[in-house]
Amino acid sequence: MARIAFILLCHKDPDAIIQQARRLTEAGDYVAIHFDARAKRSHFDKIIDGLGDNENVVMARRRIKCGWGAWSLVQATLYAVEAAEKAFPKATHFYMLSGDCMPIKSAAYTHAFLDGQDKDFIESFDFFESDWIKTGMKGDRLHYRHYFNERTQKRLFYGAFNLQKKLGLDRKVPADLQIMIGSQWWCLRRRTIEAVLKFTRDRRDVMRFFATTWIPDETFFQTLVRHLVPEAEIETRTLTFLMFSDYGMPLVFYNDHYDLLLSQDYLFARKISPEARELRRRLGALYTTDDAQFTISGEGPSLFKFLTGRGRIGRRFAQRFWETESSLGRERELMIITCKKWHVAKRLLDQARQATNVPGIEYLFNEEGTALPDLGGIQTTLEKRTRHRRALMRMLFDYYDTNRLMICLDPSNLDLMHDFYSDRSVTKLLEIKTDFSDDYLIGHAKRVGLAGERTPQETVDRLLPTIRYDVVFESDRIRDANFPHLYRIHESRTAEENTEALAEFLDVPPEKAHEIASTHYLFVD
């Protein structure tokens, strides 16, 4: 009978990980876990305490910091695969999962399905000939070396990329490989895993090549499996049910999707909402049921689109994403940096991004030209962003695959602050207090249209006290709002004095916060 070693990559929610691992091992299967080194040490220790006595669970031999689109995701997978291959000699299959995945079939059904299919299940389409990549970078993912993360180090990423193009430093794909692409959610037989691990030891040239490609989790295993396994033994599909919206975002399943999920020709589903507790409970109980019967219809994508298209608020399968009251998510943390001097907030955001690897976005509700990913049009204008602010933020959390996100807001956006604070997510606010010279305030008046190049000096002089009061008034309104988790740093204070507030806001050690607070050009106009 098939016995599965589940390869679980996760970075949050230790309680859910423990529950998931126990559920999977109760059916006689195995679990190998890589827990992101960026996550809190206390969360990792909680997983160890909760699963330490379970002989069917093993931890990856090393924890590394993972970043979307980076080689670290593949390396973390390999560490977990190596641990599982060594610890569980009876495992016949190795199945990639994330913390957002849950079974939509029973263990008995899953084992019988794999027993009847002597194949590897992995999406594996020709990288250059297929249309798997819809938008964005394609061949350049491979032909140039990518040392930086596009999401967290955008300037360095494109700076290094453009420099290589300018200098003609392109490279060729290893001659004996046909590069393939597909979803990272695969299920491979033991002999395939053994062949892949041997290949990684023997072909260091290929490992170096993939280590500097962009988004290698979509190409590494897909290419190696196709290279090592006869085509007749590969089923070019994933056994994990996942769909994407018209905006390119993964669809999230809720309590009323139980029947829909069970009827699909898949073994697991992704993503299950953390707030869909009843769905999680029912799917968890399903996996250990021996006599469950399944009628496979496989109409998931078309049925989902039909039902959500007909939905109204409160109705079965109603669309949730664009409701005004939609939540960012109870487990998420929105970190707002507000400062009248936008360049100061942007500098601090950039330093915080580098120090914490938390994605950060500049004044997206104030500047039309703020760099944003393509989210299907919702991001195109300030009016759309503001009107659908919660939907936009939720899409950005999903896009960056994170539970923590930083943004910059102008102090005048008090209504947005109130709205975000009223959400079920955790909202934190850092106000940067700066000094304002007369020259700066005059420049500000010209930028917002209160004055022009030909405005008489006496008019400007009369405006200055009003403008200065307006800046103070915005700060007072923020103070009077009594927001929880409100922190302040001041230009007039020393780095040591600003360190405590920064450490609490960013949830970083004091020495890291002090390093940010000591940025010598932070407050320079």
PDB file of all heavy atoms in Angstrom, residues 142 183 228 252 334:
ATOM      1  N   LEU A 142      15.820  32.945 -17.043  1.00  0.00           N
ATOM      2  CA  LEU A 142      16.882  31.948 -17.153  1.00  0.00           C
ATOM      3  C   LEU A 142      18.189  32.524 -17.675  1.00  0.00           C
ATOM      4  O   LEU A 142      19.272  32.129 -17.246  1.00  0.00           O
ATOM      5  CB  LEU A 142      16.446  30.816 -18.101  1.00  0.00           C
ATOM      6  CG  LEU A 142      15.087  30.165 -17.846  1.00  0.00           C
ATOM      7  CD1 LEU A 142      14.779  29.173 -18.958  1.00  0.00           C
ATOM      8  CD2 LEU A 142      15.052  29.464 -16.498  1.00  0.00           C
ATOM      9  N   SER A 183       3.335  24.100 -11.844  1.00  0.00           N
ATOM     10  CA  SER A 183       3.047  24.341 -10.431  1.00  0.00           C
ATOM     11  C   SER A 183       4.057  23.617  -9.539  1.00  0.00           C
ATOM     12  O   SER A 183       4.572  22.542  -9.889  1.00  0.00           O
ATOM     13  CB  SER A 183       1.632  23.848 -10.110  1.00  0.00           C
ATOM     14  OG  SER A 183       1.436  23.749  -8.716  1.00  0.00           O
ATOM     15  N   LEU A 228      14.797  13.010 -16.047  1.00  0.00           N
ATOM     16  CA  LEU A 228      15.195  11.735 -15.443  1.00  0.00           C
ATOM     17  C   LEU A 228      14.175  10.616 -15.606  1.00  0.00           C
ATOM     18  O   LEU A 228      14.522   9.435 -15.443  1.00  0.00           O
ATOM     19  CB  LEU A 228      15.439  11.945 -13.937  1.00  0.00           C
ATOM     20  CG  LEU A 228      16.580  12.914 -13.568  1.00  0.00           C
ATOM     21  CD1 LEU A 228      16.529  13.255 -12.088  1.00  0.00           C
ATOM     22  CD2 LEU A 228      17.933  12.309 -13.937  1.00  0.00           C
ATOM     23  N   VAL A 252      -9.584  31.564  -2.627  1.00  0.00           N
ATOM     24  CA  VAL A 252      -9.617  31.067  -1.253  1.00  0.00           C
ATOM     25  C   VAL A 252     -10.962  30.394  -1.018  1.00  0.00           C
ATOM     26  O   VAL A 252     -12.001  30.899  -1.437  1.00  0.00           O
ATOM     27  CB  VAL A 252      -9.418  32.227  -0.249  1.00  0.00           C
ATOM     28  CG1 VAL A 252      -9.495  31.715   1.183  1.00  0.00           C
ATOM     29  CG2 VAL A 252      -8.085  32.919  -0.507  1.00  0.00           C
ATOM     30  N   LEU A 334      -1.067  44.790   9.433  1.00  0.00           N
ATOM     31  CA  LEU A 334      -0.810  45.927   8.556  1.00  0.00           C
ATOM     32  C   LEU A 334      -0.038  46.982   9.336  1.00  0.00           C
ATOM     33  O   LEU A 334      -0.483  47.440  10.382  1.00  0.00           O
ATOM     34  CB  LEU A 334      -2.125  46.510   8.032  1.00  0.00           C
ATOM     35  CG  LEU A 334      -2.004  47.736   7.128  1.00  0.00           C
ATOM     36  CD1 LEU A 334      -1.223  47.395   5.860  1.00  0.00           C
ATOM     37  CD2 LEU A 334      -3.371  48.296   6.780  1.00  0.00           C
TER      38      LEU A 334
END
